[in-house]
Amino acid sequence: MSINTIIPFVQAVITTVLLVFVLRLRKQTTQTRLFTVFLSSMTLWGLFIGFMRNSLNLNHALYWEKGAMVLITATVVSIYYFAISHERMHNRVLISLPAVYFIAVVVLSFTRLLVEGIEVDEFGNAPVWSAAFYPWLVILYSLILISIFSLWRTRSTSKSYEVRNRYLYLIIGTSLCFVGGILDVLPALGLPIPPGSIYANIGFAVLTSIAILRFHLLDIRIVVRKSVAYLITSTLVAVLYVGFILFFSTVLQQSLPTWAHIFILLAAALLLQAVWQWVQRMVDKMFYRDQYEFMKELEKFSQENHDISNLKELGASLVGLISRAFQTANVHLLLQNETNSYRSVAHIGEGNLHVTLSKRSPIIQWLSNNKEVLLRTQLETDPKLQSITAFEKNDINSMDAEIFIPL
């Protein structure tokens, strides 16, 4: 067995694990259900492709390939509906056409109009495409491109940093799917390269699952930022090391003794910290330029609220400033009222507006005594915070609160 015959089963295992995580989500929405269909289709597609490539009977392999084409169509259609479900779509053609397309592919799979047969090449069993393959492919790629465009449009209109970050994962993942599909078509055109869509689909499934499940725990810009920084510094150190060796061996016409190699490595190590800090600052400016605009946001806040005397308007403006500065989706401002309770007077994002914490709440007492930021994780570990009532826990969950900051 070769890597090309094993990797489809690897994809099936990965997408099955991701499917289990998605099914365990407590909150099932239209998006998560569509994503469940996507992962289920991709899992079955990986199995069908694996059976096709490993089948010793070419007729059996043909049946597996026909089923795989139906499943990859279901995968793309489900991700298409997932993409457009995030915006208000009223075009009936764009809504109904993918479903009609899927039904047509199911019908054509019973004929030889999509796949004429199976042949054996240097990469194993491979399909022989028929007349309807290229129209099928054009529509499939069109749906992927529309999905990418829809995700990008939704991302560009969102004011939430977390939401934009999640859509960035989805856009990159869907783009990987598009590139992988192209790599699968090139062998059919006679180019001697192995099929690549399986590898792209693995990356697609992992990236989109991170976006759905834990996107707020992993910022893709941080991943890229650190990768770029490490890449640049490693390259600079390598160039420095190789440059010394070439200088001594070429210019001075002598081979380097062991002590010279040690000297070069020590010199590179001494320079590494300074180089790293310089590169890190450059990369920060590249990836976090929007944070340098915070002072403009603060100036804008000052101008907006110069003549505001209404507490509600001031609170709304304040949570807006905090949301933009911290780049977070949800912010609640709680102030003490006439009953000495702390009640939400302004908020931004989703969540329950009517949040109330008693003055005797362990959270309020902790913030009053410590004058420090309180993290959500401390609610489970700090003994002083264990007496929070069930009512207050529900309010905290409704806010989806992660950080508590005393004013």
Side-chain angles (χ1 to χ4, degrees):
M1 296 180 71
S2 65
I3 185 65
N4 290 314
T5 56
I6 296 175
I7 196 65
F9 296 115
V10 175
Q11 176 201 291
V13 171
I14 292 174
T15 50
T16 299
V17 173
L18 297 174
L19 178 61
V20 171
F21 281 115
V22 173
L23 291 175
R24 290 181 62 185
L25 286 176
R26 293 181 180 179
K27 185 178 180 180
Q28 291 293 327
T29 63
T30 301
Q31 287 77 23
T32 54
R33 294 188 188 97
L34 287 169
F35 197 67
T36 299
V37 175
F38 157 72
L39 286 176
S40 302
S41 302
M42 186 166 281
T43 299
L44 293 174
W45 181 66
L47 292 174
F48 276 43
I49 290 293
F51 293 145
M52 183 275 290
R53 292 183 181 178
N54 289 279
S55 180
L56 299 178
N57 187 311
L58 295 185
N59 288 326
H60 291 169
L62 177 61
Y63 293 129
W64 288 120
E65 176 62 27
K66 288 182 176 182
M69 295 194 71
V70 173
L71 290 167
I72 193 59
T73 305
T75 300
V76 173
V77 169
S78 60
I79 206 64
Y80 170 86
Y81 282 120
F82 175 84
I84 68 172
S85 67
H86 292 78
E87 55 180 332
R88 297 177 181 178
M89 182 70 67
H90 301 290
N91 192 314
R92 294 183 179 180
V93 175
L94 292 177
I95 294 175
S96 60
L97 183 60
V100 175
Y101 166 66
F102 174 73
I103 295 172
V105 172
V106 173
V107 174
L108 289 174
S109 67
F110 291 96
T111 70
R112 288 181 177 262
L113 293 176
L114 281 173
V115 187
E116 185 177 338
I118 300 293
E119 64 180 4
V120 180
D121 58 20
E122 64 267 34
F123 305 114
N125 294 340
V128 178
W129 306 119
S130 191
F133 167 74
Y134 294 101
W136 169 82
L137 192 67
V138 169
I139 298 176
L140 195 77
Y141 283 176
S142 298
L143 291 178
I144 296 176
L145 289 175
I146 294 173
S147 301
I148 295 173
F149 176 75
S150 177
L151 292 170
W152 183 266
R153 183 167 54 190
T154 305
R155 179 183 183 272
S156 61
T157 57
S158 175
K159 296 182 179 179
S160 167
Y161 172 76
E162 292 184 351
V163 172
R164 293 199 305 271
N165 190 51
R166 176 177 61 182
Y167 279 103
L168 188 57
Y169 276 102
L170 296 173
I171 292 167
I172 294 176
T174 310
S175 301
L176 278 178
C177 185
F178 182 80
V179 174
I182 293 176
L183 294 178
D184 255 10
V185 174
L186 295 179
L189 300 177
L191 296 178
I193 60 174
S197 62
I198 293 289
Y199 303 96
N201 289 338
I202 291 175
F204 180 31
V206 172
L207 282 172
T208 48
S209 296
I210 291 173
I212 297 297
L213 300 173
R214 296 289 183 183
F215 69 92
H216 59 286
L217 296 183
L218 179 60
D219 187 340
I220 195 169
R221 296 197 304 171
I222 294 178
V223 175
V224 176
R225 166 180 173 260
K226 290 186 177 295
S227 300
V228 171
Y230 280 117
L231 177 63
I232 294 176
T233 50
S234 300
T235 302
L236 289 175
V237 172
V239 168
L240 179 66
Y241 180 76
V242 174
F244 272 114
I245 293 177
L246 290 177
F247 175 77
F248 279 99
S249 61
T250 304
V251 179
L252 301 182
Q253 298 295 320
Q254 63 179 8
S255 59
L256 290 178
T258 303
W259 67 265
H261 283 274
I262 297 175
F263 173 78
I264 293 172
L265 289 175
L266 288 175
L270 291 174
L271 291 173
L272 178 60
Q273 185 64 29
V275 172
W276 167 261
Q277 292 178 355
W278 177 78
V279 171
Q280 193 69 75
R281 286 194 298 269
M282 297 301 295
V283 174
D284 281 343
K285 290 181 180 179
M286 183 186 304
F287 287 93
Y288 292 95
R289 188 175 298 275
D290 50 349
Q291 291 188 1
Y292 294 103
E293 301 295 324
F294 175 64
M295 291 304 297
K296 292 184 178 180
E297 293 288 351
L298 196 57
E299 181 181 355
K300 179 181 177 182
F301 172 77
S302 177
Q303 293 174 351
E304 288 178 349
N305 298 281
H306 183 72
D307 297 321
I308 291 181
S309 57
N310 184 286
L311 179 61
K312 185 175 181 180
E313 293 181 14
L314 184 62
S317 184
L318 178 60
V319 296
L321 169 69
I322 295 173
S323 176
R324 296 192 298 269
F326 282 84
Q327 298 183 335
T328 183
N330 298 298
V331 178
H332 284 258
L333 174 63
L334 277 68
L335 294 179
Q336 193 172 11
N337 59 18
E338 62 277 2
T339 62
N340 290 328
S341 297
Y342 285 81
R343 187 178 180 84
S344 178
V345 296
H347 87 298
I348 191 170
E350 299 178 356
N352 181 15
L353 176 61
H354 305 292
V355 177
T356 303
L357 295 178
S358 169
K359 185 179 181 180
R360 295 185 296 274
S361 168
I363 295 178
I364 300 298
Q365 295 298 319
W366 192 99
L367 293 173
S368 299
N369 295 331
N370 293 275
K371 305 297 183 182
E372 296 178 356
V373 173
L374 174 64
L375 302 179
R376 174 72 170 270
T377 54
Q378 293 176 253
L379 299 182
E380 305 296 332
T381 58
D382 194 324
K384 298 179 181 179
L385 300 170
Q386 298 303 304
S387 58
I388 299 175
T389 65
F391 179 79
E392 289 179 341
K393 286 183 178 179
N394 290 333
D395 274 355
I396 292 171
N397 291 332
S398 70
M399 287 192 294
D400 196 21
E402 296 291 340
I403 302 176
F404 302 85
I405 304 174
L407 298 179

